[in-house]
């Protein structure tokens, strides 16, 4: 599959990737920035993009898209939803047509081999039209009444999370989770562990955060995990280069005094900005004499700013290290141990929950773009020639909202598709990828993400690294727009191959051949004594290069040694003269029973902070009766606290019941809070609603008589009367999802009002 | 309490702290190093020691100890254990006497006001005698047969944990947890959360790891969280200064050619080394011409090496930050939010689980001294005048092995004491501290720490910072000696006070006065216009200093202003001349209903990696029948996996039963592993024993007939025959500790041998 990409595709690929295909490396910081609000996705984008030019891929659906053949897609049964149908389509139709027109123009230009700059312009225009369509679509989609300021007030006031070190003035992009945020996050992670690690028998690991430089050199992060920036020469204030050019030129273009030809030049630059090199952008800075917008001071030359936090490991100051920018590399460098732990068999999946760090130039949007964040990643290792999944049938009928790369280019809306059909038609590359997409979908719905505000958006190929053969982001619609919460990518064999190259340790697996096969082995026999004498400290590298040389190289060398007596071998970039006495050739037949191969990796990666934030937005609600009363409809299974206990008053008679209930809840491991603060019951209900407590138990004067209490459900505000000693098991069952509230309502008498509201 | 320390105590304090009391700051890197194997405890030691000279404390039991009065201790009912009684005491008696003799000498010298150097020598000798006693005691204590190499082989082979980045050569002091280690750690933490956070209704938070410099300046870490080291001038190799002096001089003293007077000089230095200043040690380096032991090269001057990893936050390079060296500070800087979350009431406890980092000069001893580690910390905030604990009665009868500071000085062994008695007699300072010690004890036993290898060692006062009024370490006995796993300290109000000073934000609480009281308030009325004109950019600081000045200072100032017309006020170390027109005094009466105070903090802090390691040592066992077969007796509640499923053979008839069981176990959230690898059942049992799986289910030919299976328990290797569909609930009950194995044995028929061991 990989490496079978036809050459002619070079001329046909869409968007910026055509440049990559031709061998130009597009500065990664410039890419994907116009995608609406998808800040964090740029993490992924970057990860897939700081790599060398695209040489090959095998993404069949995109190929079809590129080639203009979309027949199979038409066969996918589409179930329309609010997003796709409705009268709104009339409004959107011209916008869709405009995107499609431009998409077709891009295809045409490419197929005609148009000039690079013409293609660039057309692509930029396509993006603008796509954005206009997306924005309009958002305004038309079923209105979700949401007041962000109101929610943020609750989150801050009840300390779900807040800025770190605020008493010291705070640091942007860093947040502390308070008791409610921390409990919610813990519950999200525990559910993740149970849903993925335990249910799928994954191997969970926990690797170091401090990572030595060579590891991140091999992964490509040291060289290319960077954004371009400029500094105010006097104050040192930093600006993202593309941001400052865009802002300055837009301001200039909008100014009355600017001549028409300058305005045209600016328009041209803004269109091209996204694909400009560092040098081109530097020229723009000079041409337009762009200064700091804050001080008017001069700016430095553009600087590549690596987004990793660096430090020194150990006291010598000589071992450079970084805080890991992703958790994945820890799994890759442990591949051999994990394969062994799984008794040498594939497929297996490893998982890791942990913090990662990136030194954002300008963090923003609350929890969505931060400098420290928790990832939960899965690396599923499988045979590249067999990406089927044993449990795929169990999820095949799951319907997901898919926003394919083709539909994005054609101005079409996202569609509800059964994942089984999506894999069958090739829209989703393989079963394993499809399986994880369905599981991600199920997990997100379980924890409370709104189905109507969740979609899977396929990466278009300019977003993908050459090694990723398909990539879908689970995006949640928030007040910041569509936000990537989970990335699900087929990373192929890239990472294992890179670490193998860097260390010489073969990170590969073996599989039994259907029948043994005989192969001819060509090996170099090295005379280590002579090699050692001649090359001294480099002898080891030379020996290794000889031992690891391919049979082609060895045969060429043998010819040279036999004829001229010497051969020039390039080792680590230096030419070494090998002579006859240093090496001879051994050629023999060998019967192979197993075949060695580098596994492919399918990687679902969850941004926990983003899921948590989207979940808060999706569950935030205001009581119809009183818009000052807000609550979070967070499912009981992940709600921070499961239960609140309210004594009706501070009457001493209630104390034994509170103690009894509290201790029984502890035995059942049901987290709870006693609110004996003395406000009215209504006010206390409202206060626990704000922190999403799903169940409330009220102890009143009837409790003293008959040991029954009121049990109230948060979302419906309905209540039942229930014996005190049955509460812990019932609330536990509700919290674990083993019982539903209607079941409880069916079993216990309805409670209409507080019988004894006053102290007697 | 605090600040009530009598002056004369200066002359009487034991050990090095006398120097601190007199105002000399002992370089902290030198302290506590002779405590056997207690590497990590130096983290705590340091934390308590990088502070300014001791000015006051209120540690009543130590006071008594210092004053020579130990009467109350004798009343503590002592239940002797293996460590204390037995014929061994005869062997130990002379060693104990020798410690006591020296302890008494130290007391005497101090009470007589002997010279500093004489006290130092006596203290050093005391430490040596104490170490000899400790070592002998260890060799005599009930022998635990333990083969560390054998255990390490299992841990590595089955990937519990291993060195990070090994394929890149590895980094010392960094470890990756593999699937079994990670699951065990997760279970330890989940149990911790349920045992402390949920059961005690604590407020759990999750704070940032990257910490800006000012926070750690206030806490004292920037200035004093350091070790002294020297570097090889050519290779850059680093050595801990005290280590290299000791090693070099000991070598020299042992050499035959060394003159007697030199030997005596060396002996003198070695005795004093522990208390030497940086300059004194530098002189030793010069006098003895100490060179690098590896290369013979010259060494640099001693360097203060801060143990925090530093980095830059944000792109400017101007905001210096550190990876936090402890999680506690994140809680302190959030104190106001947490107090508000707890509705302004004390006591409340906040908790945090998270990673901390320290850049060790020479990490060692596996998981015991590492550069990244997970802490689980609790900060219990309470009224300093009331450290009672509402649930103390529930734990008062718990018996703990206590090794008091007095007993350590007197050469006496640790004693079993009921915590209720220990608090009553003042041995443990207060109920809250005692309550947490008992809870720590219960937690450690729950997760599998051996009761006989667990003790609480009280810090002697040279180990304690001036603000700590009592501190006890839970230590586990391992093959590396006694290892501190949990520190439990009363930190008093130090941290909150420091952050208040640094930020001007009052981190305090209020309590209602029993009855309102009238106080006289003296306030400075600042004329900001004039202050601004005169002091310009420093005006704010001057104004604040005036507003915050005590009434004493203000009265003195008023006098000066009235007489001379000016007053010199020191602001941030600079003298500022205040004139009459700048400030006047306002004096008025005010009725106070509440009193403001800075809460005290009791801090139990758990080193999770150390607990995990001690637990592995304590539960590691070898089968009597076969010393090649090893297993871990880890309690089912925290074991990495709960259950293994073994089909007797690869017969296809077993498949439906495996699937049925696996899916039922998943529903119950019981982690399991199917081992269908085909070895003999015995071999497969042994393999799962190695990874501590407590229960094994074997599916055999009788299963096909009657749907029963064999359920085997790891430690006893006993088996019962049980219906397949009852297995999930039974294993779940066993794993949660709701059922015991004997109960299961009572309910189901015993299974003696495999009825059908061969395929039919």
């Amino acid at each position: 599959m990989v490496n079978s990409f036809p050459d002619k595709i070079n001329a046909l690929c869409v968007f910026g990737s055509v440049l990559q295909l031709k061998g130009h490396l597009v500065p990664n910081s410039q890419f994907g920035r116009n995608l609406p609000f998808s800040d964090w996705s740029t993490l992924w984008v970057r990860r897939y993009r700081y790599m060398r030019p695209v040489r090959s891929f095998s993404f069949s659906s995109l190929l079809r898209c590129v080639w203009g053949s979309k027949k199979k897609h038409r066969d996918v049964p589409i179930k329309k939803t609010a997003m796709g149908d409705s009268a709104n389509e009339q409004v959107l139709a011209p916008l869709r047509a405009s995107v499609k027109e431009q998409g077709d123009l891009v295809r045409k230009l490419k197929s005609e081999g148009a000039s690079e700059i013409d293609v660039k312009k057309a692509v930029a225009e396509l993006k603008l039209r796509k954005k206009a369509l997306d924005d309009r679509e958002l305004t038309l989609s079923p209105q979700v009444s949401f007041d962000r300021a109101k929610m943020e007030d609750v989150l801050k006031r009840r300390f779900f999370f807040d800025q770190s070190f605020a008493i010291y003035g705070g640091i942007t992009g860093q947040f502390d989770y308070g008791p409610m945020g921390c409990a919610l996050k813990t519950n999200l992670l525990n559910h993740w562990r149970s849903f993925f690690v335990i249910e799928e028998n994954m191997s969970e690991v926990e690797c170091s955060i401090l990572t030595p430089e060579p590891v991140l050199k091999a992964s490509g992060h040291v060289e290319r995990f960077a954004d371009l920036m400029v500094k105010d020469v006097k104050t040192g204030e930093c600006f993202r280069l593309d941001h400052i050019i865009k802002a300055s030129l837009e301001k200039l273009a909008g100014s009355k005094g600017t001549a028409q030809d300058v305005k045209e030049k600016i328009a041209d630059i803004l269109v091209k900005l996204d694909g400009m090199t560092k040098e081109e952008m530097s020229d723009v800075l000079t041409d337009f004499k762009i200064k700091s917008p804050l001080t008017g001071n001069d700016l430095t030359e553009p600087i590549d700013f690596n987004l990793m936090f660096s430090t020194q490991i150990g006291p010598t100051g000589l071992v450079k290290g970084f805080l890991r920018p992703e958790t994945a590399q820890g799994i890759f460098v442990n591949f051999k141990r994990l394969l062994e732990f799984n008794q040498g068999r594939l497929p297996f999946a490893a998982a890791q929950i942990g913090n990662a760090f990136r030194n954002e130039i300008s963090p923003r949007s609350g929890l969505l773009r931060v400098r420290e964040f928790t990832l939960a990643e899965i690396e599923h290792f499988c045979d590249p020639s067999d990406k089927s999944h044993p449990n795929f049938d169990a999820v095949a009928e799951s319907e997901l909202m898919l926003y394919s790369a083709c539909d994005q280019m054609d101005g079409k809306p996202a569609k509800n598709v059964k994942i089984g059909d999506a894999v069958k038609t090739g829209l989703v590359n393989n079963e394993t990828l499809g399986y994880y997409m369905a599981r991600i979908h199920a997990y997100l719905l379980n924890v409370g993400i709104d189905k109507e505000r969740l979609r899977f958006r396929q990466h278009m190929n300019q977003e993908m690294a050459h090694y990723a053969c398909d990539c879908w982001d689970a995006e949640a619609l928030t007040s910041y727009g569509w936000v990537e919460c989970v990335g699900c990518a087929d990373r192929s064999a890239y990472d294992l191959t890179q670490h193998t190259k860097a260390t010489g340790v073969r990170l590969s697996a073996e599989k039994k051949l259907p029948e043994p096969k005989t192969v001819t082995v060509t090996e170099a026999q090295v005379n280590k004594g002579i090699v050692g004498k001649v090359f001294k400290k480099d002898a080891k590298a030379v020996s290794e290069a000889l031992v690891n040389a391919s049979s082609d190289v060895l045969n060429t060398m043998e010819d040279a040694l036999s004829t001229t007596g010497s051969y020039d071998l390039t080792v680590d970039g230096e030419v070494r003269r090998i002579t006859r006495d240093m090496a001879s050739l051994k050629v023999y037949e060998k019967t192979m029973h197993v075949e060695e191969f580098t596994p492919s990796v399918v990687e679902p990666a969850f941004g926990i902070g983003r899921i948590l934030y989207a979940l808060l937005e999706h569950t935030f609600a205001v009581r119809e009766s009183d818009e000052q009363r807000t609550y979070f409809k967070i499912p009981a299974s992940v709600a921070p606290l499961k239960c609140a206990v309210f004594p009706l008053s501070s009457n001493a008679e209630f104390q034994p019941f509170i103690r009894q209930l509290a201790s029984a809840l502890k035995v059942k491991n049901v987290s709870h809070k006693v609110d004996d603060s003395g406000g009215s019951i209504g006010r206390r209900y409202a206060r626990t609603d704000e922190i999403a407590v799903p169940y409330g138990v009220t102890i009143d004067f009837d409790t003293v008589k008959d040991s029954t209490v009121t049990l109230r459900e948060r979302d419906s505000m309905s209540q039942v009367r229930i014996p005190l000693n049955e509460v812990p098991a019932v609330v536990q069952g509700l919290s674990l999802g083993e019982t539903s509230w209607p079941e409880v309502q069916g079993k216990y008498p309805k409670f209409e009002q507080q019988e004894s509201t006053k102290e007697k």
Side-chain angles (χ1 to χ4, degrees), chain A:
Chain A
M1 285 275 254
V2 171
N3 287 321
S4 67
F5 197 89
D7 274 340
K8 60 181 168 175
I9 202 70
N10 279 353
L12 291 162
C13 256
V14 292
F15 283 21
S17 61
V18 67
L19 304 171
Q20 295 186 315
L21 279 164
K22 284 181 175 167
H24 301 252
L25 183 68
V26 182
N28 61 63
S29 59
Q30 308 314 315
F31 253 65
R33 291 300 185 193
N34 284 344
L35 300 175
F37 303 103
S38 189
D39 299 338
W40 191 68
S41 73
T42 58
L43 170 65
W44 305 106
V45 171
R46 269 195 207 103
R47 183 151 119 198
Y48 300 136
R49 210 173 343 92
Y50 44 70
M51 305 305 164
R52 285 171 308 164
V54 178
R55 294 236 174 70
S56 66
F57 60 77
S58 63
F59 176 11
S60 56
S61 66
L62 259 191
L63 285 193
R64 273 195 308 282
C65 179
V66 167
W67 286 91
S69 147
K70 290 160 294 175
K71 266 176 214 156
K72 280 194 178 170
H73 286 192
R74 291 188 188 132
D75 300 333
V76 179
I78 305 296
K79 190 185 157 207
K80 291 200 168 189
T81 69
M83 197 102 37
D85 59 22
S86 89
N88 295 335
E89 275 307 313
Q90 285 198 334
V91 182
L92 295 173
L95 291 168
R96 295 200 189 286
S98 143
V99 170
K100 169 120 184 33
E101 179 193 42
Q102 191 66 17
D104 289 343
L105 174 64
V106 170
R107 285 193 183 95
K108 184 166 164 279
L109 288 173
K110 290 185 174 181
S111 70
E112 288 169 354
S115 77
E116 193 179 287
I117 186 65
D118 287 344
V119 174
K120 259 191 188 175
K121 277 189 184 172
V123 166
E125 175 64 24
L126 174 59
K127 284 186 179 177
L128 290 176
R129 292 187 183 189
K130 195 164 159 297
K131 179 149 175 13
L133 170 61
D134 285 349
D135 290 350
R136 193 80 185 104
E137 210 166 21
L138 275 185
T139 62
L140 290 174
S141 61
Q143 278 303 309
V144 181
S145 143
F146 177 72
D147 181 343
R148 196 202 292 161
K150 190 173 253 174
M151 183 184 81
E152 280 177 349
D153 170 63
V154 177
L155 294 179
K156 200 178 171 70
R157 193 159 37 80
R158 305 306 301 273
F159 196 13
F160 276 74
F161 57 86
D162 210 339
Q163 199 182 22
S164 301
F165 313 112
I167 63 171
Y168 282 87
I171 295 273
T172 50
Q174 290 194 278
F175 289 89
D176 288 348
Y177 289 91
M180 294 300 98
C182 184
L184 177 58
K185 191 174 167 194
T186 300
N187 295 344
L188 285 178
L189 289 173
N190 281 345
H191 185 60
W192 190 89
R193 202 171 252 134
S194 133
F195 194 80
F196 291 104
V197 178
I198 295 187
E199 203 170 321
E200 314 253 4
N201 292 115
M202 293 176 179
S203 298
E204 188 182 345
V205 298
E206 188 184 313
C207 307
S208 289
I209 288 172
L210 284 167
T211 306
E213 191 173 33
V215 177
L216 293 163
K217 264 194 176 154
S219 70
H221 288 88
V222 170
E223 202 180 339
R224 297 191 190 92
F225 193 64
D227 272 348
L228 287 170
M229 69 165 185
V230 287
K231 283 190 187 188
D232 183 315
V233 290
K234 287 191 183 152
T235 67
E237 188 88 31
C238 298
F239 305 93
R240 258 237 333 250
L241 180 57
D242 53 343
H243 286 182
I244 200 174
I245 290 179
K246 189 156 178 278
S248 305
L249 295 193
E250 279 174 354
K251 194 177 163 201
L252 185 58
S255 151
K256 279 187 185 170
T258 306
Q260 192 52 36
D261 62 328
V262 176
K263 284 188 182 176
E264 275 166 23
K265 196 175 166 196
I266 288 174
D268 186 57
I269 290 169
L270 289 177
V271 161
K272 288 187 288 186
L273 185 60
D274 228 30
M276 279 189 177
T277 63
K278 182 175 172 180
E279 289 67 31
E280 286 168 341
M281 286 201 271
S282 178
D283 290 345
V284 173
L285 281 185
T286 317
D287 292 351
F288 287 87
K289 301 189 177 62
I290 294 175
K291 309 281 177 192
S292 162
L294 301 180
T295 61
N297 293 336
D298 282 344
L299 298 168
T300 62
E301 281 291 292
I303 303 160
D304 271 304
F305 178 68
N306 193 296
L307 295 171
M308 293 193 292
F309 288 98
S310 70
T311 190
Q312 267 92 40
I313 304 176
T316 59
L318 301 174
V319 181
K320 192 169 181 181
F322 297 96
L323 303 188
R324 62 182 175 195
E326 61 176 20
T327 57
Q329 301 305 326
I331 295 180
F332 297 134
V333 298
N334 277 304
F335 174 75
K336 269 171 81 83
R337 291 165 175 165
L338 289 166
L339 181 66
E340 198 176 326
F341 184 82
N342 285 283
Q343 301 177 276
R345 295 190 214 171
L346 286 183
F348 74 85
Q352 180 166 207
I353 295 172
N355 282 0
F357 299 78
R358 56 194 307 224
N359 201 359
E360 283 292 344
I361 294 174
S362 49
R364 60 185 178 195
S365 312
L367 286 189
L368 300 184
R369 184 167 219 169
V370 292
R371 291 194 169 123
E372 286 188 49
F373 49 95
T374 301
L375 290 177
E377 292 194 309
I378 295 165
E379 310 295 332
H380 178 103
F381 297 96
C382 59
D383 181 342
S385 69
D386 177 14
K387 294 183 178 174
S388 64
H389 194 288
N391 298 334
F392 187 72
D393 287 350
V395 303
E397 292 297 302
S398 314
E399 234 181 36
L400 276 60
M401 175 79 77
L402 299 185
Y403 194 24
S404 72
C406 269
D407 286 342
Q408 290 171 64
M409 279 198 68
D410 288 348
K412 289 184 181 166
K415 289 165 191 156
N416 264 322
V417 185
K418 284 185 183 165
I419 194 69
D421 294 325
V423 170
K424 216 179 289 165
T425 58
L427 176 59
V428 168
N429 184 273
N430 58 69
E431 276 190 11
T432 297
L433 195 62
Y435 178 76
Y436 279 112
M437 286 166 66
R439 294 283 292 165
I440 291 165
H441 191 248
Y443 171 79
L444 293 175
L445 298 190
N446 275 358
V447 300
I449 294 289
D450 178 7
K451 194 174 182 204
E452 301 299 319
R453 284 181 265 177
L454 175 60
R455 73 179 184 192
F456 281 81
R457 192 180 68 78
Q458 188 175 35
H459 278 210
M460 290 187 284
N461 58 4
Q462 88 279 12
E463 293 177 76
M464 259 189 303
H466 65 287
Y467 58 86
C469 66
D470 197 0
C471 183
W472 292 80
D473 289 344
E475 296 182 333
L477 183 59
T478 72
S479 61
Y480 292 100
W482 287 97
V483 170
E484 185 205 346
C485 291
V486 188
C488 191
D490 187 330
R491 292 175 74 133
S492 76
Y494 178 80
D495 302 275
L496 293 181
T497 308
Q498 287 296 101
H499 290 299
T500 297
K501 275 189 208 156
T503 62
V505 178
R506 294 164 95 90
L507 303 179
S508 56
E510 285 182 348
K511 65 180 165 188
K512 221 174 172 170
L513 286 167
E515 51 191 65
K517 78 176 174 195
T518 305
V519 293
T520 305
V521 181
T522 308
E523 272 178 12
Q525 307 283 92
V526 181
N527 185 330
K528 291 201 173 170
I530 295 173
V531 169
K533 247 187 216 156
V534 176
F535 296 111
K536 307 230 159 50
K537 70 175 174 47
D538 299 323
K540 196 167 162 246
V542 173
S543 289
E544 275 175 9
L546 284 169
V547 168
N548 293 327
S550 69
S551 57
D552 285 352
V553 169
L554 289 178
N555 285 325
T556 311
M557 179 178 83
E558 183 61 22
D559 286 348
L561 292 180
S562 306
T563 52
T564 68
S566 76
Y567 174 74
D568 287 346
L569 182 72
T570 306
V571 180
D572 295 341
E574 290 211 26
V575 174
R576 304 294 184 177
R577 177 144 296 186
I578 307 298
T579 50
R580 182 73 274 178
D581 51 352
M582 290 180 190
S584 60
L585 230 59
K586 188 179 165 192
V587 180
Y588 59 98
E589 303 273 281
K590 196 173 162 187
T591 306
M592 306 289 285
H593 297 271
V594 293
E595 185 187 5
E596 193 181 328
F597 65 96
T598 305
S600 266
V601 177
V602 173
E603 178 193 82
F606 297 67
I608 299 300
R610 293 189 154 210
I611 294 173
L612 183 141
Y613 179 78
L615 168 63
L616 288 170
E617 274 209 11
H618 289 194
T619 58
F620 184 67
V622 179
R623 296 275 179 223
E624 277 175 29
S625 54
D626 177 358
E627 68 171 31
Q628 289 314 307
R629 287 186 58 182
T630 62
Y631 64 110
F632 289 97
K633 295 177 290 186
I634 301 176
S637 56
V638 292
L641 289 170
K642 310 305 179 200
C643 186
V645 178
F646 308 100
L648 190 62
S649 71
S650 60
N651 193 300
E653 283 183 274
F654 297 153
Q655 288 305 317
F657 297 97
I658 300 175
R659 277 199 297 273
Q660 181 195 336
L661 184 58
S663 117
L665 287 169
K666 282 172 188 178
V667 169
K668 293 271 177 199
N669 207 15
V670 174
S671 57
H672 72 280
K673 178 189 174 83
V674 176
D675 185 349
D676 54 1
S677 58
S680 73
I681 278 290
R683 228 183 109 194
R684 285 188 277 163
Y685 282 157
R687 208 156 49 202
T688 53
D689 285 347
E690 270 191 344
I691 53 170
V693 181
Y695 305 104
V697 179
T698 304
I699 291 165
D700 54 30
F701 288 95
D702 288 327
T703 311
V704 180
K705 289 183 224 150
D706 62 7
S707 282
T708 63
V709 295
T710 300
L711 180 63
R712 170 186 181 270
E713 195 268 340
R714 176 195 62 208
D715 300 349
S716 62
M717 296 191 287
S718 56
Q719 303 180 45
V720 295
R721 195 77 194 175
I722 174 173
L724 178 68
N725 59 9
E726 295 182 25
V727 166
V730 166
V731 175
Q732 187 189 37
L734 286 164
S735 303
L736 295 174
E738 291 167 357
T739 337
S740 70
W741 180 247
E743 278 166 5
V744 173
Q745 284 178 306
K747 199 173 160 195
Y748 298 99
K750 192 170 177 181
F751 183 79
E752 288 290 1
Q753 61 175 90
Q754 204 68 39
E755 276 90 348
S756 328
T757 46
K758 287 177 188 166
E759 288 210 25
K760 283 170 192 173

